[in-house]
C-alpha cells in the first residue's frame, strides 16, 4: 500500500478526530491500495512547526491542513508543491474550478495553485435580540453601516445606578491572534486591503486604513460603547452569553456553542460597512509537501479530492460549523436540509463573495506580530492610530523589501 501521512491541527482526542478517522476509513475502503495515517498535531502553530521540522529532517508529511495565511512561509521554506502541478485530467480541472473564488484568492501565488480550501470560516456579527427589544430597537434588524452600529450600540449600552457600564454595545476582539483578522475586516469595510496579493507590500498608512483603526479606537474613546483597552477573543462568547456585551464580532465557529448556551434570542448577521459591507476569511487549506515520494503525492491528491468533495464538505460543515468552500456542497440534500433547520449558517455563506483574505505576507509571523503590536498600542492608548500604523508600516517595509 502507498502510505499517506496526514498532519491535522487538533489536540489528540475529541469529536473532530472521530470525524476525521471516519473519513479516513471511508476513503481507505474505496481505495484499498492507499493507507492514510492521520497525525493529530496540536493547534495550527504546533502543526506548522512540526510539519516544517519534519520536512527539513527529510521525513515530511505527505499532506497537511495548515493555515491559509502560512502560504508564503511554506513557499519561502520550499517545502510545498503546487497542487496545480498534479491537476491534469478534465475531471481534476473541473474539481479545482469548483471552489469559491474568494477562498481560492489565498491559495494562488505566481500563477500556481498551492493549496485548496478545507476548513474555512468567516467572521460575523452576533446580536442580542432581547437587549435590542429592551432598548426599543427592532430586534429583527441588525446594523448595516458603521453609523448604525454606533447608534444601536449607544441604545443597548446599559449602566447601573452608579454609572458603571453593565452591558456594552459592541465588542471586537483585539488580542494577538484575532486583532489582525478583524482589523482586515474593518479595513475592507472602508474599501481598502492591508496587503497586496503577492504578500510583499503593505498599505498601513493609507488614510482609509488609519480611519478604520481610529473608528475601532473611538468605539470606546468617543462613543463609549466598547469595553476599554483590548477585548479578549477567548472571553467574547461568554461576555455575550452573560449579556455583558450586546453585539460581538467573532467566528462562525462559535455558532453551535452560542446556540447551545444562550438564554435569550440572538441573531447572526453579516458585517456592516462604511464604504461597503465586508468580512475577512480564516481557516485552513490542504497542502502537499514537495519532498514526499511521488507515489505518495499522487495518492495525496486522491485523498484531498475526497476530503473536498461536495458530499464530504457538506458533512464536515454540518459536523463542525466550518463554512463549506464549494457551491456544490451547498447544493447537496444534506446541507440544504441542515440550512433549513439552522438558517443562520447561510449568513456566513452569503457573506463570502464580499470577504477578503486574512493578513498574509512573506515572513508572516514577523509582520503579523508588528501589526498586532501596533493595534494593541492604539487600542490601549499608548500610541495614536496614525503613529501606531506609521511605525508598523516602516518596520514591515524593512522586513518585506527583500521580497520585492
Amino acid at each position: 500500500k502507498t502510505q499517506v501521512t496526514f498532519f491535522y491541527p487538533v489536540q489528540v482526542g475529541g469529536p473532530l478526530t472521530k470525524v476525521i478517522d471516519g473519513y479516513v476509513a471511508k476513503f481507505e475502503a474505496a481505495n484499498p491500495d492507499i493507507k492514510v495515517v492521520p497525525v493529530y498535531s496540536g493547534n495550527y502553530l504546533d502543526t506548522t512547526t512540526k510539519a516544517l521540522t519534519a520536512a527539513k529532517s527529510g521525513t515530511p508529511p505527505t499532506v497537511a491542513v495548515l493555515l491559509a495565511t502560512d502560504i508564503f512561509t511554506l513557499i519561502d521554506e520550499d517545502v510545498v508543491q503546487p497542487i496545480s502541478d498534479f491537476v491534469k485530467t478534465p475531471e481534476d480541472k473541473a474539481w479545482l474550478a469548483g471552489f469559491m473564488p474568494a477562498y481560492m484568492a489565498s491559495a494562488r501565488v505566481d500563477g500556481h495553485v498551492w493549496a485548496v480550501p478545507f476548513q474555512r470560516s468567516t467572521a460575523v456579527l452576533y446580536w442580542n435580540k432581547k437587549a435590542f427589544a429592551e432598548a426599543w430597537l427592532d430586534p429583527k434588524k441588525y446594523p448595516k453601516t458603521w453609523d448604525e452600529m454606533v447608534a444601536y450600540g449607544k441604545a443597548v449600552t446599559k449602566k447601573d445606578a452608579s454609572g458603571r457600564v453593565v452591558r456594552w454595545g459592541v465588542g471586537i476582539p483585539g488580542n494577538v491572534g484575532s486583532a489582525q483578522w478583524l482589523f482586515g475586516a474593518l479595513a475592507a469595510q472602508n474599501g481598502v486591503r492591508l496587503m497586496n496579493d503577492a504578500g510583499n507590500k503593505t498599505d498601513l498608512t493609507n488614510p482609509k486604513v488609519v480611519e478604520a483603526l481610529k473608528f475601532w479606537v473611538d468605539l470606546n474613546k468617543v462613543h463609549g460603547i466598547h469595553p476599554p483597552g483590548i477585548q479578549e477573543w477567548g472571553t467574547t462568547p461568554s461576555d455575550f452569553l452573560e449579556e455583558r456585551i450586546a453585539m460581538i464580532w467573532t467566528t462562525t465557529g462559535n455558532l453551535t456553542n452560542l446556540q447551545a448556551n444562550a438564554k435569550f434570542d440572538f441573531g447572526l448577521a453579516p458585517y456592516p460597512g462604511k464604504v461597503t459591507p465586508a468580512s475577512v476569511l480564516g481557516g485552513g487549506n490542504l497542502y502537499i509537501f514537495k519532498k514526499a515520494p511521488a507515489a505518495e503525492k499522487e495518492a495525496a491528491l486522491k485523498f484531498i479530492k475526497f476530503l473536498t468533495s461536495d458530499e464530504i464538505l457538506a458533512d464536515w460543515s454540518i459536523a463542525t460549523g466550518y463554512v463549506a468552500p464549494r457551491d456544490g456542497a451547498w447544493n447537496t440534500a444534506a446541507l440544504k436540509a441542515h440550512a433549513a433547520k439552522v438558517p443562520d449558517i447561510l449568513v456566513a455563506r452569503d457573506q463570502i463573495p464580499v470577504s477578503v483574505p486574512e493578513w498574509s505576507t512573506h515572513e508572516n509571523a514577523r509582520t503579523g506580530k508588528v501589526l498586532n503590536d501596533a493595534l494593541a498600542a492604539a487600542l490601549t492608548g499608548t500610541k495614536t492610530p496614525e503613529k501606531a500604523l506609521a511605525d508598523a508600516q516602516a518596520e514591515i517595509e524593512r522586513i518585506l523589501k527583500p521580497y520585492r
Side-chain angles (χ1 to χ4, degrees), residues 23-35:
Y23 293 158
V24 167
K26 189 173 181 181
F27 174 77
E28 288 178 338
N31 297 272
D33 57 330
I34 300 172
K35 178 173 178 56

Side-chain angles (χ1 to χ4, degrees), residues 88-172:
K88 291 161 186 164
T89 68
E91 180 201 33
D92 288 347
K93 290 174 184 175
W95 160 74
L96 196 59
F99 291 97
M100 294 175 178
Y103 280 122
M104 290 302 286
S106 60
R108 283 193 173 94
V109 176
D110 295 335
H112 300 287
V113 177
W114 292 84
V116 291
F118 177 55
Q119 54 185 44
R120 302 305 305 267
S121 58
T122 182
V124 290
L125 180 146
Y126 296 81
W127 85 98
N128 180 331
K129 293 183 178 180
K130 176 185 151 198
F132 272 45
E134 284 176 6
W136 301 99
L137 296 172
D138 183 342
K140 294 178 184 174
K141 285 188 178 176
Y142 56 85
K144 295 181 181 176
T145 65
W146 283 4
D147 287 345
E148 283 185 357
M149 190 173 77
V150 169
Y152 292 7
K154 286 180 177 178
V156 297
T157 296
K158 190 176 173 183
K159 297 180 179 179
D160 63 16
S162 68
R164 183 177 66 92
V165 174
V166 293
R167 183 176 67 209
W168 294 98
V170 64
I172 301 175

Side-chain angles (χ1 to χ4, degrees), residues 227-244:
I230 294 171
Q231 171 65 27
E232 288 290 324
W233 176 268
T235 64
T236 297
S238 59
D239 286 336
F240 185 68
L241 289 171
E242 291 167 29
E243 301 190 66
R244 290 191 292 264

Side-chain angles (χ1 to χ4, degrees), residues 122-127 140-146 148-149 185 189 247-250 252 267-273 276-280 343-344 346-355:
T122 182
V124 290
L125 180 146
Y126 296 81
W127 85 98
K140 294 178 184 174
K141 285 188 178 176
Y142 56 85
K144 295 181 181 176
T145 65
W146 283 4
E148 283 185 357
M149 190 173 77
Q189 290 159 22
M247 291 180 283
I248 59 168
W249 287 30
T250 188
T252 48
L268 185 148
Y271 275 162
T276 181
S279 187
V280 67
D344 277 344
L346 297 175
V347 171
R349 181 200 66 181
D350 294 345
Q351 187 179 240
I352 288 167
V354 295
S355 297

